[in-house]
Each structure stands twice: as C-alpha cells, then as structure tokens.
Amino acid sequence: MSDTETTAVQPAAKRKRGRPQTHSDTDRRSDIIDTARKTFVELGFSGTTTDIVAARCRISKQTLYRLFPSKSDLFLAVVAAHRQMMLDLPRPAEEDAPVDTVLQQIFMIDIDEEAENERQAFIHIVMREGGQFPEIAEILRRDGIDRSRQILADWLSNEAKRGKLVIEDPLGGARMLMDMLFGAMGPRREDFNTRADRRRHLERSISLFVRGTRPT
C-alpha cells in the first residue's frame, strides 16, 4: 500500500469532548477568591457556603470543589490574597530605591479610602467570628499575620545583606514595623483628624525606624 493510501485510511483524530475552556484555572481562581472575600465580608464565615460562592461566580459546584475542596481551603486562599492587600511583598528583585521609600510602598500608606475600607472589612469579620470559629483565627494567624511578618523579615534581612541597613533581629524588626504602622492604620482612629494627618504619622514612623537601622 502506498503512503498516500496509508494516509487515506488512517482514522481521523478524535475531537476532545466537552466545551472548550474559555478561562484558565488561574483566572478562575482569582475570580472565585475575589467573590469569596466579598461574600465572607457580607455574610460572615458562618453564613458563607461553597454553594453560594459557586452561584455568585456562575460556575458549577464541581468546578469550585476542584479548585477549592472545602470552605476552609477557600478561606485560606482569601487570607493569602488579603495578605498581599496589607503588604506589597515580595518586591522586584531589581529594586534599588531608598529603604524608607520602599517601606512606604510595602505598607501602601497612600492607599485610597475605598481600598482601605475593603481590606479592613475582611479583618472585621475575622475578629467578629474568630472566637466562634477557632479555625479561621488560626488560619489568619498562621497564613496571614505570621506569614506576612516572615516575608517582611526576609526583605529586611536581604536589605541588610546589601548594606542598606543594620538589623540584628529581622523578625523582631518586622514585628516592630507592623505594630507601629498597622496600629495607626486601624479603623476609627480618633487621634488623626484627617487621612493626611495619619499619612504624616506613618511617614514619621518609617523614618524613625530607618534612622535606627541606618549603617554608620
């Protein structure tokens, strides 16, 4: 049989069944996490179900479970995303700006009011329901606060290696920065008349830290 005849009798390639995938899992995960965060804020941890999140995302429960097997897994992903709303880390490898400038960017001290209210709203729900659901408090502590502190400590350590600051205990320094700055970013701080007043306070706090760690 000739090559032509062989080619002619070869079976046609089978078509893949099912609808073509229009969204990548990465995009779909991002949409689900964003919707879940808003749902947790609106309904609380107890009132949020995977059925509700799937319906709001207009996806099947099977699709949601494939990406997030449980509500705790979904909440963990929301916490990880929220961590990036609180600290702009990690930083670009090629960044070489002054330490105080980068710290202002890391802590996003010029965040707009809408974005700030959005990130504070999630903290409120965790604080409100943390006692009732110890697992969400543990997730926030382990994968939110503790993880954020370690990433910030890693950045401080790297800056020290580059000779841009001197710090004996990067983890302690990260804790100090987070206590100073997040303490001033808390809701309803009556000691700041305006957002501009608070920004100046945050800038002074960062400046104080930088002066204390500046190489001699």
Side-chain angles (χ1 to χ4, degrees):
M1 183 179 295
S2 67
D3 292 342
T4 302
E5 290 173 331
T6 302
T7 302
V9 298
Q10 285 179 344
K14 293 183 179 180
R15 293 182 180 178
K16 294 182 179 180
R17 295 183 178 180
R19 296 179 180 178
Q21 188 173 4
T22 57
H23 298 286
S24 69
D25 280 353
T26 299
D27 292 339
R28 198 181 296 276
R29 281 179 61 90
S30 179
D31 291 341
I32 293 172
I33 290 170
D34 186 58
T35 299
R37 176 177 50 78
K38 294 174 182 177
T39 306
F40 281 127
V41 168
E42 177 188 350
L43 304 179
F45 184 83
S46 58
T48 297
T49 66
T50 51
D51 286 357
I52 292 174
V53 175
R56 291 185 173 187
C57 292
R58 298 183 179 180
I59 60 174
S60 68
K61 290 186 291 185
Q62 289 78 8
T63 297
L64 180 65
Y65 291 143
R66 178 171 62 83
L67 298 172
F68 303 99
S70 69
K71 184 166 78 169
S72 293
D73 291 318
L74 184 56
F75 186 78
L76 175 60
V78 171
V79 168
H82 184 265
R83 186 175 66 233
Q84 295 179 323
M85 293 175 65
M86 299 299 293
L87 290 176
D88 189 6
L89 287 168
R91 304 298 299 173
E94 69 278 4
E95 187 171 57
D96 193 29
V99 174
D100 55 347
T101 298
V102 180
L103 282 173
Q104 291 179 20
Q105 295 171 358
I106 287 174
F107 282 91
M108 296 178 280
I109 68 172
D110 60 348
I111 192 171
D112 63 60
E113 189 169 4
E114 181 180 357
E116 181 179 359
N117 290 339
E118 187 177 350
R119 70 183 188 180
Q120 290 293 344
F122 184 71
I123 294 177
H124 291 168
I125 182 262
V126 174
M127 293 176 63
R128 186 175 69 242
E129 300 195 22
Q132 184 180 358
F133 299 96
E135 67 268 27
I136 70 173
E138 172 61 18
I139 289 173
L140 185 69
R141 182 197 62 78
R142 184 190 67 232
D143 297 282
I145 298 172
D146 287 358
R147 181 61 180 149
S148 294
R149 186 182 295 123
Q150 185 59 61
I151 294 173
L152 180 58
D154 292 342
W155 179 82
L156 291 171
S157 179
N158 187 61
E159 292 298 281
K161 291 177 182 177
R162 298 170 67 188
K164 302 187 73 171
L165 55 82
V166 176
I167 186 167
E168 295 181 0
D169 179 11
L171 192 60
R175 180 179 291 106
M176 184 185 305
L177 276 168
M178 291 173 66
D179 287 348
M180 283 196 304
L181 298 176
F182 286 150
M185 291 180 183
R188 296 184 294 276
R189 285 297 301 262
E190 297 178 357
D191 44 343
F192 301 120
N193 294 323
T194 66
R195 288 171 55 83
D197 290 339
R198 187 183 65 176
R199 180 188 170 91
R200 284 190 289 270
H201 173 81
L202 295 172
E203 289 175 344
R204 287 194 294 267
S205 297
I206 290 173
S207 178
L208 180 65
F209 177 86
V210 170
R211 287 200 303 269
T213 57
R214 182 174 296 151
T216 55

